[in-house]
Amino acid sequence: MCGIVGYVGPQQAEGVVIEGLRRMEYRGYDSAGVALVHDGEIAWDKRAGKLANLDKSLGDQPLPKATTGLGHTRWATHGAPNDVNAHPHLGATGRVALVHNGIIENFAPLRAELERAGHELRSETDTEIAAHLVEAAVTEGHSLTEAMRQVCRRLDGAFTLVAIDAHDPDRVVAARRNSPLVVGVGEGENFVASDVAAFIEHTRDALELGQDQVVTITREGVEVVDFDGNPAEGKPYHVDWDLSAAEKGGYDWFMRKEIHEQPNAIADSMLGRHDEQGALQLDELRISEDELRGVDKIIIVGCGTAFYAGLVAKYAIEHWTRIPCEVELSHEFRYRDPILTRDTLVVAISQSGETADTLMAIRHAREQRAKVLAICNTNGSTIPRESDAVIYTHAGPEIGVASTKGFMTQLVACYLLGLYLAQVRGTRWGDEIAAVVRELEQMPGHVQSLLDRGDEVLALAENLADARSVLFLGRHAGFPVALEGALKLKELAYIHAEGFAAGELKHGPIALVEKDVPVFCIVPPQGRDFLHDKMVSGIQEVRARGARTIVLAEEGDDDVAPYADVMVRLPKVPTLLQPMVAVVPLQLFACELATRMGHDVDQPRNLAKSVTVE
Ligand code: AGP
């Protein structure tokens, strides 16, 4: 998720823009840039790394004074984080500067069209094609507003675009589709930004924009049109958040904000990865189909939550591809002298891409000539750089130490990998793969429905605030969810919590169960009845010993209701995909309980967001 600021008014634009970007540093980014309109030209600078790098460059080579400009902090999706890929991007003649947040799904055909027309594209980004297209339109004589509107109609995907035109110093033009953009309305000055934190020190009067709208700001005012050119209105509101709340989008914690970002994160992680027929296209995979057809074993490595995502992936990948799939803790993997050959595919799951244990594991795998594929949320980080191939999750920066949308999008990436392998190896028919893709496309809505009903779970946190130990039970793909639910409680509420495979209870753990011990039970969908009935038996076992059962079961599953002290309903989804919905109530519960206990939910004690030591 990038940070964007646009400004027009009496102040020096560079200062306003840079300060606005600084207010959004919390979002996480890997490069930054600024562009100004000065004396019929665009003056710009952009640098990989933190704002300090840009500040130094601007200090060494100051830009001219200007009162119209834009700025950007980039969270890389397409193209490594470096000076060339940093935003802003300019059109062919440098007349238009443009910045972007989101993913332009159809950038490849548009890039080809521009190159056929003689355009020289200097970066690896999807953004640059938009800069060239907008500049081509203004060069034909269209206003910047009209040019933006015409270009937006050609783009697929999720995007916020902001542009300036060297020949039109009095305006900044922006547009949005499925990506944040807000207008700050000042006195004789106006702002556009990806969130209000960028301008609330100047004005707290804002305009909320609708889908598929183009906004033009000048000193005198704000004009909005839709992508068809019809006049539209932004919805005025007053920002009463303080800066800290503004950085979290009004939520109390980054973690809670990130839990609520999951529907968009899932949708973004699906963007551009399948065609209308549901056939998959993982263009950044960089392992040939022949090599993938030769894979005879998969070993998934990861730590913590990433490891649990790998455990879920095992069920799906083995079912769809019939390839043996092992899942290992990274820090155990290389010390157990694993059997690796050129036909082994090692899949390294890591949100940060910097976890030392996982990095060491893939180095060992590559020394043994195995192929390595990274599933990672951080473009250009060490693990994908040292892998043969990568599937980037598009969750956006995850600030909270406890992983939520990172886990959710790791699941999406693992499912896409399994389906792609099945497609390439022919172990699943196209219609079977397309059916699963359609189910994945429904997931943002399913997760949103759980978030909308989150109050049920929040109330549960109040009732269980005094618990000293909590157990989590699951079967099949629900077992890793039980482990993840327990980890969230451990790392946030500092409560002893343990996840079990429900079938394991009678082999010892049931001795832990006594009166009122809270036990979360994740019940498989009824579609797989032998699993479902076994899970019901496990719930009866713990209930018979006095446990307080919190049962997560799909809508309409009444068989399990008699054994539930608390029932949390899940949307009906296929068994292999149920982890995506079952984990949400557990995330909300852990976040709420830790909040009620007065803990720092975003920075839990003893923990770091990325464990870069072994
Ligand atoms: C999960 O909430 C924790 N933050 C931790 O277990 C984390 O998942 C683990 O350290 C792996 O981190 P990575 O995904 O960045 O490699």
Side-chain angles (χ1 to χ4, degrees), residues 303-306 349-355 358 401-403 410 484 487-488 491 608-611:
C303 298
T305 291
I349 303 178
S350 176
Q351 189 284 132
S352 64
E354 299 298 346
T355 297
T358 304
V401 165
S403 186
Q410 285 163 359
E484 170 61 7
L487 176 61
K488 285 289 154 297
E491 62 180 337
K609 182 59 185 169
S610 177
V611 183

